[in-house]
Amino acid sequence: MSNMKMSKLEIFNRKNVIMLFLLLLVYGIVQLLFQNQILNKFYMMTFILVCIYIILAVSQNLITGFTGQLAIGHAGFMAIGAYMSALVTVKLDGSLIAGLIFGSIVAAFAGILIGIPTLRLKGDYLAIATLGLGEIVRIIFLNTDYLGGATGFQVPKVINWTWAFWLMVISVVVIKNFINSSHGRACIAVRENEIAAEAMGINTTKYKVMAFAIGALFAGLAGAIYANYMYVILPGTFSFLKSFEILVMVVLGGLGSITGCIIGAGLMTLVSAFLANYPEMRMVIIAVLLILLMIYRPNGLLGNKEFKFDFLNPKKKGEENGTA
Amino acid sequence: MGSVTDFVIQQLINGISLGSIYALIALGYTMVYGIIQLINFAHGDIMMVGAYTGWFCTTVLKLAFLPSLMIAMVLSATLGMIIERIAYKPLRKASRLAALITAIGMSFFLEYGGILVLTPQTRTFPAVFPQTVYNPIGEITFKYGDIVIILTTVILMSLLQFTVKYTRVGKAMRAVSFDKEAASLMGINVNNTISVTFAIGSSLAAAAGVLIGVYFNTINPLMGIMPGLKAFVAAVLGGIGIIPGAMLGGLAMGLIESFVSGIGFSTWRDAAAFFILIIVLIVKPTGLLGKNIREKV
C-alpha cells in the first residue's frame, strides 16, 4: 500500500514520463518542420493559435465545466491580459516574461474584483452579467487612446512556437493539478450541488471566486501570448463573439473534460484555419456542424470523460478506477 | 433652465422610440425564455430577416408600410417555428448549455448565411414615410418615424397583452410556462403552444426589424447582433420570463442610451447600459420585476 502511494506521488512516474516524451515529440516535429521550411508561416500561425485557444478553452472549462458557473466574459479577461502585457513590453520597455506575468496577474485581479459581486448570481443571470462586463472591458480599451483606441495597438512579434507550446503545456498541467487537488474537488462539489456542498462545510463563494480568478489568470496569459504574436491588437477582437467561440470549443469537446476541450479547441481552430479562404462559408459550415453535433451528441465529443493513455499499462486499470 | 427641460424632453422622445424597438425584440426573448428556459440567441437575426423581408417588399414589390410589415411578420413567424422544430425541439430534454450552444450556432448560421445569400453590402431602405420633422416647442424635434414606431409598438403590445391574458392560446402559454407536465396532463398540446410562442416572438422581432429599417434607413446581414444583445440585456433587466418586465427593460435601455449619448458620451453608451444592468442584478438578482424564488433542498 505504501509502495503504491509512493509511486503516485513521484513526479517521474511512468505515465508522466510517457506524456513528457510525447510532448517533446510533438514540439520537436513541428519545430523541425518549420525550421526546414516544410510548413509555411500560415501553418505556424495556426499552430500557435491552437495553443492560445487550448489555454482559453481549458481555463473556461475550469469555470464552466468544473465549477459549473456559466460565465461568458472570457474575451474580457483575454483583452486585459493582452493590453496589460503590451503596456509592459511596448510602453515600459519591459521583457516578454514581465509582460506575460503582469498581464496574467492583472487579469486574475480583475477576475477576483468581478467575481466577488457577480458570482452571487445564478445561471443565465451570471451569464449575461459576465457578458456585459466583458463588453465593458472592451469599450474601456476602445476609448483609451493611450493604448491605441479603435485604431489598434502595435506590438512587436516576439512569441514563437517554443513559447506558445510550453506555456500551453504549463497552463494545462497547472489547471489539471488544481482540479485534482482538494480545492479542485471542492469546485466540483459546488458544480454538483451548491447547497449540499455548503452543508458539507465548503465555502462556496471562496471556491467560485478561486476558480474564476484562476480561469481569468490563464485567459490573461492567453491574451498576453496573443498580443505579443499578432503585431497589432484591436478592441474589436475581444467582443462577446470571442467569448462565445471559447464557450463553443468547451461544450463541443465536453464540459468537465480537459482532454475533451483540448480536442474541441484544436478542432475548431484547425477547421476555421483550413476554410480561411471562404470566410462566410466557413461560419455557415461551423454553424451547421455545431447544431448537428449538439442534436446528436449534446454532451460534446467526450462528455465529461477524459481521454487516457490507460492502454499503455493495462495492469493499473483497476487501481485507476478505484481512485478516480 | 428652459434648455435643460428641452434637453430632457428631447432625450425622452429619442429614448422612448429607441426603447420601443428594444422592447419589441426583448418580448420575444422573454417569451421564449419563459416557456422553455432557452436564451434564443438567434432572435436578433430573425429580426434581421424581418428587416430584409420588409426591404424586399418596399423596394422590389413596391408595397406600402403596413402590408410590408404584415408580410415580414408572417414570414419571420414561420421561420421562427421552423427553427424551433429543427434545432431546439430535439434538445428539449438535453442540458440547457447544449441548447444555448445550438442557439449560438443558429445565430451564426443566419448571420453568415445571410451574408452568403444577400451579400455583405448595406442596403438602403426607401423613404416610406414623409421625412417631416415636427418642432412643437422650443428646440424639441421629433420625426414622423418616431410617431410610427411608438404607435406600432403600443398597438402590438396591446395585442400581445390581450392574447396572453384572454385567449385560449395565451392561457395555454401561461400554463405551459408554469408547469409543462401538468399542462400536458390538462390536455394542452405543449409542442404547439411552444411553436405559437416562437411564432409570436419572431413576428414581434420582425416588426422591430422593419421599424429599424424604416427609421435608420440602412440594413445589413449583421445588423441583428448588437440590437439582439441589447434587447436580451433589456429582458434580463426587467426580469427574464416576465412580459411587462421586457417592456420596462426595453424602455429603460432606450432611455439610458439616449441620455448617455445626449450628454456627449456616445462611445460609452453600451458600457453604461451594461453597467446599469450589473448594478441592478447585484441589488436585485432576478431583475426589476423578478420574484426571488427560494431554492428548496
Side-chain angles (χ1 to χ4, degrees):
Chain A
M1 191 64 199
S2 63
N3 243 343
M4 236 167 64
K5 267 202 170 146
M6 281 300 286
S7 75
K8 274 208 156 316
L9 287 173
E10 272 173 29
I11 291 175
F12 290 103
N13 61 24
R14 191 173 153 165
K15 214 165 124 189
N16 286 356
V17 170
I18 292 173
M19 217 42 233
L20 187 67
F21 177 72
L22 280 174
L23 286 173
L24 279 171
L25 200 70
V26 172
Y27 166 75
I29 288 173
V30 174
Q31 182 74 3
L32 267 179
L33 286 175
F34 187 58
Q35 269 172 3
N36 296 327
Q37 314 271 318
I38 298 171
L39 291 181
N40 59 24
K41 279 212 166 109
F42 175 73
Y43 285 98
M44 202 64 231
M45 190 174 108
T46 307
F47 283 132
I48 289 179
L49 277 180
V50 168
C51 293
I52 293 172
Y53 277 115
I54 286 176
I55 302 176
L56 287 166
V58 173
S59 54
Q60 172 85 62
N61 205 358
L62 172 66
I63 300 172
T64 309
F66 289 98
T67 320
Q69 305 302 311
L70 180 56
I72 325 185
H74 235 48
F77 297 125
M78 191 186 168
I80 293 175
Y83 274 96
M84 289 302 123
S85 74
L87 175 78
V88 170
T89 52
V90 178
K91 299 275 178 189
L92 308 175
D93 284 323
S95 66
L96 175 64
I97 294 182
L100 293 175
I101 292 174
F102 186 70
S104 326
I105 287 179
V106 174
F109 269 110
I112 295 172
L113 266 180
I114 289 170
I116 289 172
T118 54
L119 285 168
R120 300 191 317 133
L121 303 170
K122 288 200 170 63
D124 302 313
Y125 289 98
L126 175 68
I128 191 67
T130 43
L131 199 162
L133 282 163
E135 285 292 286
I136 290 177
V137 168
R138 179 180 68 83
I139 293 165
I140 290 174
F141 286 125
L142 188 69
N143 286 298
T144 311
D145 290 331
Y146 179 67
L147 295 174
T151 49
F153 188 9
Q154 311 279 337
V155 187
K157 176 181 170 179
V158 272
I159 290 284
N160 53 22
W161 167 246
T162 314
W163 276 104
F165 184 81
W166 292 110
L167 283 172
M168 183 270 287
V169 170
I170 292 169
S171 311
V172 174
V173 168
V174 170
I175 290 180
K176 180 182 168 292
N177 285 353
F178 175 79
I179 289 162
N180 288 335
S181 73
S182 65
H183 301 300
R185 296 299 184 218
C187 289
I188 294 174
V190 171
R191 173 189 73 187
E192 294 297 329
N193 189 330
E194 208 173 319
I195 294 174
E198 204 153 14
M200 297 305 288
I202 290 170
N203 183 346
T204 52
T205 313
K206 178 181 145 193
Y207 285 106
K208 281 199 264 182
V209 174
M210 190 188 279
F212 206 61
I214 294 174
L217 180 95
F218 285 104
L221 177 68
I225 299 172
Y226 182 87
N228 289 291
Y229 178 70
M230 276 305 189
Y231 294 111
V232 62
I233 43 177
L234 292 160
T237 316
F238 307 104
S239 75
F240 68 99
L241 294 174
K242 182 71 85 187
S243 303
F244 278 180
E245 213 175 301
I246 300 163
L247 187 69
V248 161
M249 288 169 182
V250 174
V251 180
L252 189 79
L255 278 170
S257 163
I258 291 182
T259 38
C261 70
I262 292 174
I263 294 170
L267 211 65
M268 280 280 288
T269 321
L270 290 178
V271 167
S272 29
F274 286 121
L275 295 171
N277 289 332
Y278 320 94
E280 284 93 34
M281 207 54 197
R282 167 183 85 174
M283 289 307 289
V284 173
I285 291 173
I286 287 178
V288 171
L289 283 180
L290 210 60
I291 295 168
L292 288 179
L293 196 89
M294 282 298 117
I295 290 175
Y296 293 106
R297 269 197 86 86
N299 290 326
L301 289 171
L302 287 195
N304 58 2
K305 293 184 194 72
E306 294 286 353
F307 182 80
K308 280 183 181 157
F309 290 97
D310 280 350
F311 53 89
L312 291 174
N313 44 354
K315 271 182 217 160
K316 275 199 163 180
K317 210 157 189 182
E319 186 191 319
E320 286 276 342
N321 285 340
T323 51
Chain B
M1 198 58 213
S3 66
V4 175
T5 2
D6 278 7
F7 170 78
V8 170
I9 295 173
Q10 181 67 60
Q11 297 312 326
L12 273 176
I13 295 171
N14 296 351
I16 289 173
S17 66
L18 185 65
S20 308
I21 291 176
Y22 286 148
L24 279 179
I25 312 174
L27 282 169
Y29 270 115
T30 229
M31 287 168 69
V32 166
Y33 190 90
I35 208 154
I36 53 171
Q37 280 78 50
L38 164 75
I39 304 174
N40 183 11
F41 273 118
H43 196 65
D45 305 302
I46 293 177
M47 181 208 84
M48 177 272 290
V49 174
Y52 267 91
T53 318
W55 172 81
F56 185 78
C57 289
T58 47
T59 53
V60 181
L61 304 179
K62 307 270 187 235
L63 291 175
F65 172 69
L66 265 184
S68 310
L69 186 74
M70 297 287 174
I71 294 174
M73 285 174 73
V74 170
L75 269 181
S76 296
T78 322
L79 177 70
M81 285 196 285
I82 294 172
I83 288 176
E84 196 271 332
R85 276 292 147 99
I86 294 175
Y88 302 152
K89 194 168 169 240
L91 284 161
R92 222 171 270 162
K93 294 238 158 57
S95 79
R96 296 195 23 216
L97 206 54
L100 183 75
I101 300 290
T102 315
I104 294 175
M106 210 23 133
S107 148
F108 286 164
F109 179 75
L110 289 176
E111 282 157 17
Y112 293 93
I115 291 184
L116 272 184
V117 177
L118 306 163
T119 70
Q121 81 179 91
T122 305
R123 312 271 178 160
T124 318
F125 237 83
V128 187
F129 299 122
Q131 299 292 313
T132 333
V133 175
Y134 296 93
N135 188 356
I137 352 155
E139 308 207 329
I140 302 165
T141 56
F142 58 91
K143 287 197 282 183
Y144 194 89
D146 289 307
I147 306 173
V148 174
I149 286 184
I150 295 170
L151 262 183
T152 316
T153 309
V154 169
I155 294 170
L156 287 175
M157 279 184 180
S158 322
L159 271 177
L160 176 73
Q161 272 299 30
F162 177 78
T163 315
V164 171
K165 280 238 162 96
Y166 300 110
T167 60
R168 279 178 73 88
V169 175
K171 277 181 193 159
M173 273 161 59
R174 281 184 287 149
V176 172
S177 77
F178 195 74
D179 190 330
K180 240 183 245 118
E181 273 175 28
S184 72
L185 289 175
M186 294 295 128
I188 294 170
N189 188 333
V190 174
N191 284 335
N192 283 357
T193 312
I194 293 176
S195 285
V196 170
T197 311
F198 268 87
I200 295 178
S202 306
S203 64
L204 292 175
V210 176
L211 290 175
I212 289 182
V214 171
Y215 193 72
F216 296 103
N217 293 328
T218 54
I219 53 173
N220 67 67
L222 298 183
M223 68 184 275
I225 299 178
M226 267 330 257
L229 181 68
K230 283 182 201 158
F232 175 52
V233 168
V236 177
L237 190 68
I240 197 159
I242 306 162
I243 289 177
M247 301 178 185
L248 179 70
L251 285 179
M253 283 286 292
L255 289 172
I256 294 165
E257 272 196 23
S258 63
F259 272 96
V260 173
S261 310
I263 54 173
F265 290 97
S266 58
T267 47
W268 290 94
R269 62 170 195 268
D270 297 349
F274 287 121
F275 185 71
I276 288 174
L277 169 84
I278 289 158
I279 300 293
V280 168
L281 285 185
I282 287 169
V283 179
K284 220 168 167 303
T286 47
L288 288 172
L289 298 186
K291 289 189 196 76
N292 202 4
I293 300 160
R294 186 164 294 179
E295 201 177 332
K296 287 185 185 138
V297 183

